[in-house]
Amino acid sequence: MAPIIELRNLTKRFGKGKETVTAVDAVSFAIEPGETVCLVGESGCGKSTTGRMVAGLLDPTAGEVLFEGKSISKLDSTAFRRYRQSVQIIHQDPYSSLNPTQTIREIITAPLLRHNKVKKRGDAEGRALALLEVVDLTPARDIIDKYPHQLSGGQRQRVAVARALTVDPKFIVADEAVSMVDVSIRVSILTMLARLKQEFDVTFLFITHDLALAKYFAWEGRITVMYLGRVVEDGPTQRLITDARHPYTQALLSAVPEADPELAHHKRQIELRGAEIPSLLALPPGCTFHPRCPYFVPGQCDVAAPPLEPVAEGGRVACPVRKLEHISLLV
Amino acid sequence: MAQNQLDWRTEDNSTGKPPLSLDNVHVGYATRRGKVQAVRGVTVDLRAGESLALIGESGSGKSTLGLAIVRLLPETAQVSPGVIIYRRDEREVDVLKLTPNEMREFRWSDCAMVFQAALNAFNPVLTVWNQTFDTAKAHGWHDKRAVLARLVELLQFVQLDPKRVIDAYPHELSGGMRQRVLLALSLLLNPQVLILDEPTTALDIITQRTIIKLLRQLKEDQHFTMIFISHDLAIAAELADRVATMYAGRIVELGTSDDIFYRPRHPYTLGLIRAVPTVSGGFEQLFSIPGSPPDLINLPSGCKFHERCSFATDRCIQEEPELETVGLNHTAACWNWRAVEEELKLNPLHRGALNVLDPSIILAEAA
């Protein structure tokens, strides 16, 4: 069976001439049905741009997105509509992604009617109520006639999920979907998303800057790490967290503040050679991490961009130096 | 990395009276719907040289409390009743009685506040130098050369290249650089207390680590007295000596960082800790707290947390508990704290650690 989503050399450039930035640079990976993949990285690494291209909200400059084995740029209009319904996106900010002048009823029933998801107009309300129950907005009757401003951030994000579910998606891009939600409520939203995975066979691409959340949400899945538009490492979550290979992944893991005093005080730190992320307008040659990397090898890292190569324990890593070191440690 | 020392700071404040004492502080906002009770009777001493973290969700009153100390609340806010006493050397002042001029002086020279949105804290049309010198002049410090020397020293302390930063406009700096400039600027007039509101929120992970290291240096080497306000428990775990959990405008638990994270006695604190994942801890089962924070205009009866609390009993619906001693230097406001204690005996909070990083590749120990 073909992967549900596959990215092939997906590239996005913004701007013109000297002002061109390559936000996403030849990103390739595939997501199998039922898998959970987290895309992590710092701001500006291209994770959201990638997510928007997967959802069809942004056209790539080069490369392609394949949905169930077919390039979305080559779909006819019927197949394209089916793809657009099958792949939904949930945005970070539930305060701006819901129309403030519409009630929850209007927000949920509009796509149901527009895409003929209900047989009769009168069925739309019942379906809307059922969807609100699915996202744990109960009792749904108390919610359906409210406006977004009458709901809390967490409740709004649940409405956004219910809206995405109206068109029976197979794949959901969740872009920082819980970042703006209060700590105490985050977990319940993640649990709800995990349940959708089971009950509705939805596959998730979960985009976050928070490695601890990625670890929690994709413990049985995979993590892909991006840096300045490129994938530097990916692999099964448990391998990536306990045995990160790319120096950037290691730096991120060692830098994450820990909500546990013992972990916080005993965690070892990787000292980088430079603190600042280079500008996308003036990317360093070769491996773009080399000006900050503690393993920098002059004449190698600053010459050619290292390709992603498979790791025996699972996944890929774009760092020939660290790979060599692993070999030398084994000998 | 060069160890920059702020040799201008010689004051020894490891002994003596607390620099800041809050006594029964209330803050309310008048709105059309009624009075918002943002802070409801907070009593706490900030000890010399300690860092205290205020944690809690949005609406818990932690930011309001921080703003009340430096009196930067909007005009609709009312701070009363309550007393805020500030002490430095032999001086003792009632912060709420300072005149506007005295207050301006207080905010820079005694108790400086570093805000979350580092871009908004700057004047966008002034360079870092102009902004600094304007501030110095406003406080009667006109010696350009001395101000410059101090700024250079402070910028080096926050690990910025003064040449790159001094003539830059705020928009030319990255978020992490702005946050560090702001931290440097807040130290300009040698305050005794620093209040940091969400100091690392919205910054990238590696930048967060840089800021945490700097703040640890301020705490451990310079013995600054600091208040951290954050929704992020990690900031408290990384930096605080003591932690105060706030809920619905009150401190509901106060204790050492270890007591709060491993031996919490308030169900809300326990709920927060069980809701937050770590990266290097073993895989843990997380739980969210049901419901949402209360409406601050129509607060529930009794304990304000009872509607969301799995330990709640009839008494919690009737009577609001006060802070009581639950251990050495540890207080909690919960009728059922012993039940929480029992629960933790069954399901302790120590997470154990995953071996996140292969020891052979570790280059440097944590500072």
Side-chain angles (χ1 to χ4, degrees):
Chain A
M1 196 152 107
I4 184 161
I5 287 285
E6 187 177 351
L7 282 56
R8 285 195 189 153
N9 288 318
L10 196 66
T11 301
K12 182 69 191 176
R13 293 191 192 91
F14 293 106
K16 274 185 185 157
K18 279 187 184 164
E19 296 283 290
T20 303
V21 299
T22 306
V24 175
D25 190 1
V27 166
S28 300
F29 61 85
I31 303 173
E32 301 296 330
E35 228 185 351
T36 300
V37 175
C38 282
L39 200 51
V40 303
E42 298 178 279
S43 49
C45 74
K47 57 188 190 302
S48 288
T49 306
T50 303
R52 293 171 63 83
M53 287 192 283
V54 168
L57 298 181
L58 202 61
D59 288 328
T61 311
E64 54 187 358
V65 174
L66 283 76
F67 172 63
E68 293 180 334
K70 295 192 191 86
S71 172
I72 60 168
S73 62
K74 297 188 183 102
L75 297 176
D76 63 33
S77 64
T78 317
F80 188 74
R81 201 173 311 128
R82 204 177 73 79
Y83 148 75
R84 283 299 296 268
Q85 289 185 24
S86 298
V87 179
Q88 291 293 310
I89 187 165
I90 300 164
H91 297 279
Q92 172 173 12
D93 184 357
Y95 293 84
S96 57
S97 66
L98 301 176
N99 186 336
T101 67
Q102 291 185 337
T103 61
I104 307 308
R105 179 196 304 273
E106 291 170 288
I107 289 171
I108 307 286
T109 53
L112 289 172
L113 297 169
R114 171 73 182 77
H115 297 291
N116 301 317
K117 293 289 173 187
V118 282
K119 289 202 183 77
K120 298 196 303 275
R121 225 186 150 75
D123 294 345
E125 172 164 334
R127 179 85 184 118
L129 287 168
L131 284 170
L132 291 175
E133 303 266 348
V134 165
V135 297
D136 299 330
L137 282 172
T138 50
R141 291 227 166 262
D142 293 355
I143 300 280
I144 197 162
D145 287 313
K146 288 194 170 166
Y147 286 91
H149 76 265
Q150 293 171 300
L151 304 179
S152 70
Q155 289 175 318
R156 283 183 228 208
Q157 201 57 295
R158 289 173 195 274
V159 170
V161 174
R163 179 178 59 182
L165 292 176
T166 53
V167 290
D168 307 318
K170 293 181 174 174
F171 190 90
I172 293 181
V173 179
D175 187 2
E176 300 280 10
V178 297
S179 303
M180 290 182 69
V181 175
D182 262 323
V183 174
S184 70
I185 296 161
R186 268 182 203 173
V187 176
S188 63
I189 293 191
L190 292 181
T191 311
M192 183 262 291
L193 293 179
R195 210 186 65 226
L196 299 180
K197 208 160 58 182
Q198 301 296 329
E199 287 178 15
F200 295 82
D201 286 329
V202 179
T203 304
F204 276 94
L205 176 63
F206 189 82
I207 299 173
T208 181
H209 69 283
D210 186 334
L211 272 162
L213 272 189
K215 170 194 157 198
Y216 180 73
F217 191 70
W219 184 246
E220 305 290 339
R222 285 191 297 134
I223 292 181
T224 298
V225 183
M226 287 183 75
Y227 182 67
L228 292 173
R230 295 179 191 160
V231 172
V232 295
E233 180 165 7
D234 65 9
T237 300
Q238 298 173 35
R239 194 281 288 165
L240 194 119
I241 295 283
T242 55
D243 183 21
R245 299 295 172 83
H246 197 282
Y248 177 66
T249 316
Q250 293 172 354
L252 275 184
L253 288 170
S254 85
V256 175
E258 297 281 16
D260 180 314
E262 274 176 22
L263 296 177
H265 289 281
H266 294 105
K267 194 156 154 174
R268 289 155 182 263
Q269 301 293 320
I270 289 182
E271 213 64 73
L272 292 183
R273 296 192 302 132
E276 295 299 327
I277 300 180
S279 160
L280 281 167
L281 281 167
L283 283 180
C287 170
T288 49
F289 190 58
H290 86 256
R292 307 170 74 190
C293 183
Y295 305 102
F296 171 55
V297 177
Q300 180 179 0
C301 303
D302 50 356
V303 177
L308 275 170
E309 284 177 29
V311 176
E313 294 81 357
R316 304 170 298 170
V317 58
C319 182
V321 176
R322 288 284 301 121
K323 223 179 138 209
L324 281 178
E325 200 166 313
H326 256 270
I327 292 164
S328 67
L329 281 170
L330 290 174
V331 174
Chain B
M1 207 179 296
Q3 279 290 316
N4 296 300
Q5 291 295 321
L6 292 181
D7 46 12
W8 41 268
R9 194 177 169 80
T10 52
E11 206 170 330
D12 172 30
N13 54 14
S14 56
T15 53
K17 288 185 176 169
L20 209 50
S21 295
L22 277 60
D23 187 14
N24 196 28
V25 173
H26 289 72
V27 182
Y29 296 95
T31 69
R32 266 180 295 169
R33 245 183 359 115
K35 190 177 166 195
V36 176
Q37 303 172 62
V39 175
R40 301 180 303 121
V42 166
T43 300
V44 65
D45 279 339
L46 184 65
R47 298 173 189 157
E50 83 164 338
S51 30
L52 174 72
L54 301 178
I55 59 171
E57 294 168 277
S58 47
S60 63
K62 56 194 194 306
S63 289
T64 303
L65 187 62
L67 291 170
I69 296 170
V70 289
R71 285 175 59 193
L72 285 173
L73 290 166
E75 276 178 22
T76 51
Q78 250 197 340
V79 188
S80 90
V83 183
I84 301 174
I85 301 291
Y86 171 80
R87 303 181 189 86
R88 186 171 199 169
D89 306 325
E90 297 305 305
R91 193 159 59 95
E92 188 170 305
V93 291
D94 183 341
V95 177
L96 297 177
K97 296 212 172 98
L98 294 176
T99 64
N101 276 334
E102 290 168 335
M103 201 56 223
R104 205 170 301 136
E105 196 60 33
F106 174 78
R107 276 181 210 130
W108 283 89
S109 314
D110 289 318
C111 192
M113 184 145 182
V114 180
F115 292 96
Q116 171 179 8
L119 185 57
N120 303 340
F122 288 99
N123 184 331
V125 298
L126 292 182
T127 61
V128 169
W129 163 248
N130 283 332
Q131 182 115 19
T132 311
F133 194 47
D134 273 9
T135 307
K137 279 190 294 191
H139 291 270
W141 194 12
H142 298 278
D143 182 349
K144 220 174 184 171
R145 211 174 271 182
V147 177
L148 184 63
R150 173 61 154 280
L151 178 62
V152 167
E153 185 184 30
L154 289 168
L155 289 175
Q156 282 167 345
F157 172 73
V158 297
Q159 288 161 29
L160 287 172
D161 176 7
K163 271 184 273 169
R164 155 110 204 254
V165 171
I166 282 181
D167 291 318
Y169 289 92
H171 75 268
E172 298 176 311
L173 304 171
S174 70
M177 291 165 91
R178 279 199 292 267
Q179 192 67 315
R180 280 182 278 165
V181 171
L182 205 59
L183 188 60
L185 204 53
S186 71
L187 301 173
L188 185 73
L189 297 175
N190 199 16
Q192 180 185 210
V193 176
L194 271 184
I195 301 175
L196 300 110
D197 190 0
E198 304 281 3
T200 63
T201 305
L203 296 177
D204 276 326
I205 295 169
I206 292 176
T207 316
Q208 285 191 20
R209 178 54 59 186
T210 315
I211 303 279
I212 288 172
K213 278 186 185 165
L214 280 173
L215 293 172
R216 265 203 197 147
Q217 229 174 308
L218 279 180
K219 170 178 126 97
E220 282 160 17
D221 304 344
Q222 314 299 330
H223 306 292
F224 261 96
T225 307
M226 295 193 271
I227 300 178
F228 296 101
I229 297 167
S230 186
H231 73 284
D232 184 358
L233 296 192
I235 293 305
E238 294 271 352
L239 291 164
D241 301 316
R242 282 200 301 160
V243 180
T245 314
M246 287 191 73
Y247 191 78
R250 281 206 173 178
I251 290 179
V252 294
E253 183 162 10
L254 176 64
T256 63
S257 181
D258 277 358
D259 278 339
I260 295 293
F261 278 95
Y262 303 124
R263 293 172 290 278
R265 293 293 177 256
H266 196 286
Y268 179 62
T269 313
L270 177 62
L272 283 180
I273 293 166
R274 285 203 171 144
V276 177
T278 60
V279 164
S280 50
F283 183 74
E284 56 246 302
Q285 189 67 44
L286 299 182
F287 302 93
S288 62
I289 305 175
S292 43
D295 179 353
L296 296 175
I297 295 175
N298 293 307
L299 284 168
S301 64
C303 171
K304 306 309 170 216
F305 187 60
H306 81 254
E307 292 171 339
R308 307 175 69 189
C309 182
S310 59
F311 295 88
T313 50
D314 282 347
R315 192 177 188 187
C316 308
I317 304 168
Q318 314 290 337
E319 281 177 82
E320 181 161 22
E322 297 293 326
L323 281 172
E324 63 174 291
T325 302
V326 296
L328 187 66
N329 296 318
H330 186 182
T331 53
C334 176
W335 298 123
N336 300 314
W337 64 267
R338 286 186 196 280
V340 179
E341 186 175 13
E342 291 305 312
E343 152 69 19
L344 281 170
K345 279 181 192 159
L346 297 174
N347 299 301
L349 280 170
H350 283 269
R351 306 172 193 254
L354 289 175
N355 181 24
V356 163
L357 294 168
D358 172 1
S360 66
I361 51 110
I362 301 303
L363 296 187
E365 283 275 347

